[in-house]
Amino acid sequence: MMKGPKKWRLFALMTALLVFLSGCGREEISTLIPAGKVAQDQFNLLILSSIVMLFVIVVVTIIYVLAIVKFRRSKVGEDMIPEQVEGSARLEFIWTAIPIVLLLILAVPTVYSTFDLADVTAMDAQDEDGAAENLTVNVTGKLYWWEFEYPEQEIRTAQELVVPTDERVYFNLIAADVKHSFWIPSVGGKLDVNPENVNTFYLEFDKESSELEEGVYFGKCAELCGPSHALMDFKVKTLNREDFDAWVAAMQEEQAAPTDTVAQEGQQIFEQSCIACHATNAAGAATGVGPNLATFGDRTTIAGFMEHDEETLKNWIADPQQYKPGNLMPNPEEINNGEPFSDQELDALAAYLMGLKVEE
């Protein structure tokens, strides 16, 4: 059993580590480095509540220390009886009023922010031509990936959300299977993604993601949803409005056929084995089974968390269950006449998929 002095040394060490680690964080994923108005409002509430709690701790500690010092037995003697204040109207008022004031300080801005952040009435606003004034994205959570549909632009993608900066982006959230939770830590708090109803909210993105070390913001599923819940990640690219409009225009165009011989072979294999679950055109209806791969070559990860290179892609295609257990992507034998993909076929598929790009 650890002795008293050793316990205090461990406590002091952990406290020092806590102070130093509190300053750590990555801009693309830390809730303590807000990257939008929603995140900033929530961060302000966190600071306010921390100040109130610190105030209570300091006051209680001061009273506690004063009581110990002033009324210790060696100082006041054995027979000293403190002044009896039972029934004091003044004291009753003080220790009733102070908690009420502190609660009001916390409650008023919290309730205001709660209703403000839940206000999505502008989602359906239209201009004189009947076009939506604000961008709306329909988000569907699936085991274990995310689909992003832009209904006004009639395009869809997966695993990497692309949004404009300096404006509100509205989201409709729904799950295709079990409960998930949509969370971009740097930009705003999480919201449940349910299979039985649509949840709505908005976020604002202040900074272009190209300025970040990783080039993207990190998003996660924050609801335990199955064996690969921890790997259900997505990325967010933020662009200025002009670049976003250019991205939308590129997404709306038909995907160009590959010119490389190996990639052409990969396209043939893909259309024989994979096309039933995966679309490679951003415009059009969803397959409803696998992620849309229209921008696969532009992405920063494979399956939301793996390195984005051809070798990793080939490993993923050859054995998806090894890397993300419980996902619905079949093993090659199930879609390739009972045979695994050969090295040549994997090379061809990787060349084709890495060539699916819309960004310059």
Side-chain angles (χ1 to χ4, degrees):
M1 184 175 179
M2 191 178 293
K3 296 182 178 179
K6 290 185 178 180
K7 287 183 179 179
W8 281 106
R9 286 199 295 269
L10 179 60
F11 176 77
L13 176 61
M14 296 300 294
T15 303
L17 284 174
L18 181 63
V19 171
F20 284 111
L21 291 176
S22 64
C24 298
R26 297 166 61 185
E27 192 174 4
E28 59 269 19
I29 197 172
S30 175
T31 58
L32 302 180
I33 308 177
K37 180 182 180 299
V38 174
Q40 186 63 58
D41 290 345
Q42 294 170 341
F43 181 75
N44 291 341
L45 288 176
L46 174 64
I47 294 299
L48 175 63
S49 60
S50 297
I51 291 173
V52 170
M53 289 186 288
L54 181 62
F55 169 77
V56 172
I57 291 173
V58 170
V59 171
V60 171
T61 301
I62 290 174
I63 294 173
Y64 178 72
V65 171
L66 286 176
I68 291 176
V69 173
K70 185 175 181 180
F71 296 102
R72 65 185 186 275
R73 182 174 300 176
S74 61
K75 182 174 181 179
V76 300
E78 295 284 347
D79 301 324
M80 188 271 184
I81 299 178
E83 178 185 356
Q84 301 301 294
V85 294
E86 182 180 357
S88 170
R90 178 181 297 177
L91 290 176
E92 292 283 356
F93 174 80
I94 290 174
W95 60 54
T96 302
I98 291 178
I100 291 175
V101 171
L102 294 178
L103 286 174
L104 287 174
I105 292 173
L106 286 173
V108 172
T110 299
V111 172
Y112 173 81
S113 294
T114 299
F115 280 91
D116 180 60
L117 296 176
D119 182 10
V120 294
T121 53
M123 177 186 288
D124 300 322
Q126 296 181 340
D127 60 21
E128 296 177 354
D129 299 325
E133 293 184 353
N134 301 291
L135 176 66
T136 298
V137 181
N138 296 334
V139 179
T140 305
K142 304 184 181 184
L143 294 172
Y144 298 93
W145 58 281
W146 298 90
E147 180 180 74
F148 305 110
E149 178 192 7
Y150 302 74
E152 185 70 17
Q153 292 74 21
E154 298 182 336
I155 58 175
R156 68 184 69 237
T157 184
Q159 293 297 81
E160 288 199 353
L161 172 68
V162 180
V163 291
T165 56
D166 300 322
E167 60 184 81
R168 286 190 178 185
V169 179
Y170 292 87
F171 295 90
N172 293 312
L173 308 177
I174 194 167
D177 31 56
V178 300
K179 286 182 180 292
H180 301 284
S181 184
F182 184 79
W183 188 26
I184 309 173
S186 298
V187 186
K190 53 186 176 287
L191 190 66
D192 283 350
V193 183
N194 304 320
E196 64 272 5
N197 66 283
V198 177
N199 283 336
T200 58
F201 79 137
Y202 70 86
L203 294 172
E204 294 185 22
F205 303 80
D206 287 347
K207 186 175 182 178
E208 291 186 39
S209 57
S210 60
E211 302 175 21
L212 302 173
E213 181 180 350
E214 295 284 341
V216 289
Y217 289 103
F218 286 51
K220 299 189 70 67
C221 174
E223 181 83 26
L224 182 59
C225 55
S228 287
H229 155 70
L231 306 178
M232 191 173 169
D233 295 356
F234 64 96
K235 306 298 180 290
V236 184
K237 291 181 179 179
T238 56
L239 309 172
N240 60 57
R241 172 45 83 165
E242 182 179 354
D243 289 343
F244 177 76
D245 289 340
W247 176 81
V248 170
M251 290 285 282
Q252 291 171 336
E253 295 178 359
E254 189 74 25
Q255 185 74 39
T259 57
D260 178 74
T261 304
V262 177
Q264 289 175 349
E265 180 186 346
Q267 182 179 19
Q268 293 176 357
I269 298 170
F270 184 91
E271 292 176 352
Q272 293 170 0
S273 304
C274 312
I275 198 69
C277 296
H278 297 283
T280 56
N281 187 6
T287 61
V289 180
N292 189 300
L293 303 178
T295 60
F296 190 87
D298 294 323
R299 296 178 188 173
T300 57
T301 57
I302 295 171
F305 71 100
M306 302 168 69
E307 293 292 330
H308 192 263
D309 56 60
E310 290 196 8
E311 193 61 35
T312 303
L313 175 58
K314 290 186 288 185
N315 292 337
W316 163 253
I317 295 173
D319 191 359
Q321 295 302 323
Q322 176 184 346
Y323 300 98
K324 194 180 258 191
N327 80 88
L328 301 182
M329 182 168 170
N331 288 318
E333 293 82 357
E334 300 176 45
I335 56 175
N336 193 40
N337 300 319
E339 297 291 332
F341 288 126
S342 66
D343 290 342
Q344 181 179 346
E345 289 174 323
L346 289 173
D347 288 340
L349 281 170
Y352 171 62
L353 292 173
M354 285 297 187
L356 297 175
K357 299 182 179 182
V358 300
E359 299 178 15
E360 303 236 344

